[in-house]
Amino acid sequence: MTPDGEKTIQDSGTQLIGTAFDKESDDEVILKNQRSPRPKDAATLILIRRDAAKPRVLMGKRSGGHVFMPDKYVFPGGRVDPDDGRAVSWCELKPDVEAKLRISARRQPRAFALTAIRETFEETGLLVARPAEMPVSAPRGWDRFHELDAAPHLSPLTFIGRAITPPYRPRRFDARFFMADAEEALIDERPPVDGAELSDLQWVTLEDAQSLDLPSVTRFMLGEIDARLKAKDYKEGPPFLRWTRSGHSTERL
């Protein structure tokens, strides 16, 4: 445990990140004298390319107008919509991934994976999908998938972490982080396209990503990815980062 009461995670004897939580600073918005908002479910997808000397991940810069993490470089992702869990998919999650996602969750596991896929499409234009003749009607938010005859491809997604925004922030999320091999997951080789949510989309090595302006939890997840990519048989469960009565906590699911 660190001097300020934070627990840390170690893999194979190597500490990934000393802390995965942002510190209070002069430019950080902290709610005072009011109840902390309840975290909203969210999901993030980390796509990995292995077609170069070093693995690369897709990242983009959030708009400066956002209240939550403005101007930070992040992975595609966003809040779970009520209809995400109803979306038609090409396949389902692997059983072990589904089991981990069920832990202390109010939603069906597939909803988180489908949110990550939908948000990735909306923010980058990339389709984690397979060609399929889709029904005429679609759940809200899934019209474009149906129009493109693309069915979400869930089985390549691996659940690698969960993090809850600390209390007293104006925006709080209970986010599930997934990773997937881009070559296996994507429907084609189209390039990512900047949009209103994310700009400067780019495939970067894990080393180069560490030099970007990142949220602490994003930096932590880069360490988790690095550990998974280096291990032939990775056995650690997904880290769960949250606030407890004794302070910031990390544990393995």
Side-chain angles (χ1 to χ4, degrees), residues 19-71:
T19 175
F21 301 92
D22 291 321
K23 303 294 185 182
E24 291 190 22
S25 60
D26 293 338
D27 60 352
E28 185 177 2
V29 178
I30 305 293
L31 297 179
K32 303 291 185 180
N33 302 319
Q34 57 183 293
R35 294 185 63 182
S36 183
R38 182 175 181 176
K40 298 182 182 300
D41 284 328
T44 293
L45 179 55
I46 304 157
L47 288 170
I48 301 170
R49 294 185 68 98
R50 308 193 196 205
D51 55 356
K54 296 181 179 180
R56 294 176 294 158
V57 294
L58 181 63
M59 304 196 76
K61 185 179 182 180
R62 284 178 60 82
S63 166
H66 282 116
V67 174
F68 189 74
M69 298 183 180
D71 295 319

Side-chain angles (χ1 to χ4, degrees), residues 228-240:
R228 288 174 177 271
L229 292 177
K230 289 178 177 177
K232 293 182 178 180
D233 186 17
Y234 193 81
K235 297 185 181 299
E236 298 285 351
F240 183 13

